[in-house]
DNA sequence: CTCATAAGTATACGATCGTATACATCAGGG
DNA sequence: CCCTGATGTATACGATCGTATACTTATGAG
């Protein structure tokens, strides 16, 4: 078996779009977010991304210059809207419950969301150091900074980083490794265990 | 730029080994552990693994059947010795400090250890579902089971899984994403923040 | 010493990757 | 209406991947 199995008939026939640069660009971005979040940077192929957007691979490079450029645009797009952090975070004393619910919701074992941090976690083992740099900067600018500011107190950046680490770890173990206790246990039970841990990091020493 | 840069002159010229099946097999395993931990399953190439073991790629397949077989043998080898969990865990009330020190030690931003869980975290976004299955079973058998047994109490498996998630997340953010507060802050400071969080999960609700 | 066999190598195949070059076609302003 | 530029496609190239087939070479038993 060379490489990997490829039963890829494309979920919907992708009816032809009237020529519209903006719409095409966004369609490519959506497809790229899905692919990068599902398979990581190295695992997602330009031809697959293009096909699911209803275009050819070369058009992707015409819009975004290269795969690196596409990744940068896609992670920027992802970080700007559908993230647990940033969209109206609650008071500090309910942050643990809020973030725990958020991570459990966005890492349901069956679906693959368009989340930016998930994209980055999955892309983390790429061989391309520039891709790591791109993602790290986005996470630090959008998630780390926001969260650290919301926390305050001593070592706010480090505590925020540990919260992000815990969230990333749950993403890894729940969605990528499919660790049984995280994949099978009810979200309510997990929430009760996870929330106070995040809250402890939020409150500080 | 097709694929990825390849400045790979091999660190040491790898002097020829006297023909010895057992030694060759172990050399391949060591090289594989390093490569899988550094680049993940998809990112590590058989030719690179073979070269760093001083053999050719085909010999790897002769010893282990396939890349999948090599991964299975490598992760089994890794889990059997150099892991934070399993090697003489201390009393329950000092578990947080012990595991925090362990994860910070094995994820120093500069080195790439031969750790099995790191191999699996980095390999988590492979497109090969059998590889995920192999790694998941190893983690559950070697780490999760051991840790849950040491914890005891309600939801021991889930609490153990969350501890493993936190450890995996720190690995991701510290070694793969290179998140600044985790990469630059002193291990002592991080330890002081991380230990009580793990301890809280160890103690239970 | 010899020689069967284990240990290791050389070469090639088919597939997939990112992307460069050249070509086709639609859409709107004149 | 028409034609120019924007939008999109076809094809191909070089590289790398995992691995199958065929070959070479060293080693230890007799």
């Amino acid at each position: 078996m060379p490489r990997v199995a490829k039963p890829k008939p494309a979920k919907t026939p992708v009816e032809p779009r009237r020529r519209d640069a903006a719409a095409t660009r966004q369609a490519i971005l959506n497809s790229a977010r899905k692919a990068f979040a599902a398979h990581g940077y190295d695992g997602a192929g330009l031809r697959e991304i293009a096909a699911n957007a209803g275009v050819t691979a070369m058009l992707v490079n015409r819009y975004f210059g290269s795969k690196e450029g596409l990744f940068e645009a896609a992670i920027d797009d992802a970080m700007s809207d559908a993230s647990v952090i940033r969209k109206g975070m609650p008071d500090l004393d309910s942050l643990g419950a809020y973030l725990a619910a958020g991570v459990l919701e966005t890492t349901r074992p069956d679906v693959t969301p368009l989340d930016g941090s998930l994209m980055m976690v999955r892309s983390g083992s790429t061989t391309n150091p520039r891709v790591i740099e791109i993602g790290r900067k986005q996470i630090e600018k959008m998630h780390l900074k926001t969260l650290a500011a919301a926390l305050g107190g001593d070592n706010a950046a480090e505590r925020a980083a540990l919260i992000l680490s815990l969230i990333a770890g749950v993403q890894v173990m729940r969605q990528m490794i499919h660790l049984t206790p995280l994949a099978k246990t009810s979200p309510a039970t997990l929430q009760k265990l996870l929330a106070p841990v995040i809250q402890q990091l939020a409150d500080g020493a």
Side-chain angles (χ1 to χ4, degrees), chain A:
Chain A
M1 173 189 22
R3 290 284 182 149
V4 77
K6 273 279 171 164
K8 281 281 165 63
K11 27 196 75 172
T12 45
V14 183
E15 79 281 8
R17 199 182 8 263
R18 184 176 168 78
R19 289 195 174 186
D20 178 342
T24 299
R25 194 188 143 93
Q26 192 58 50
I28 294 174
L29 276 182
N30 288 339
S31 177
R33 284 171 57 175
K34 246 180 271 192
F36 285 136
H39 310 122
Y41 179 80
D42 290 336
L46 281 186
R47 286 174 175 82
E48 170 201 352
I49 292 173
N52 286 337
V55 299
T56 57
M58 269 319 294
L59 201 61
V60 176
N61 268 0
R62 289 247 304 206
Y63 273 75
F64 299 98
S66 66
K67 191 183 183 182
E68 263 181 49
L70 173 65
F71 183 80
E72 185 161 17
I75 203 167
D76 188 86
D77 192 65
M79 290 282 186
S80 298
D81 58 27
S83 184
V84 183
I85 321 251
R86 270 186 63 81
K87 51 172 178 180
M89 294 215 289
D91 293 343
L92 225 107
D93 55 354
S94 60
L95 202 69
Y98 170 77
L99 289 179
V103 64
L104 291 175
E105 169 61 24
T106 64
T107 60
R108 295 208 315 275
D110 46 335
V111 302
T112 297
L114 306 179
D115 191 77
S117 62
L118 184 63
M119 270 179 63
M120 199 45 222
V121 168
R122 282 204 126 108
S123 301
S125 58
T126 179
T127 36
N128 186 332
R130 274 200 294 258
V131 169
I132 295 289
E133 182 75 1
I134 290 168
R136 187 181 58 73
K137 280 183 174 162
Q138 279 286 342
I139 289 184
E140 292 187 355
K141 187 174 66 172
M142 307 294 278
H143 287 174
L144 185 65
K145 200 173 144 191
T146 305
L147 189 53
L151 294 187
D154 286 347
N155 299 120
E158 285 75 18
R159 283 154 50 219
L162 288 176
I163 290 178
L164 292 184
S165 297
L166 179 52
I167 290 176
V170 171
Q171 287 177 333
V172 168
M173 287 300 183
R174 193 162 141 97
Q175 277 211 325
M176 295 165 61
I177 317 283
H178 301 298
L179 203 68
T180 305
L182 295 186
K184 305 283 194 230
T185 307
S186 81
T189 302
L190 292 177
Q191 159 108 18
K192 232 179 301 187
L193 295 168
L194 186 55
V197 177
I198 299 180
Q199 190 64 46
Q200 178 180 349
L201 278 167
D203 294 337

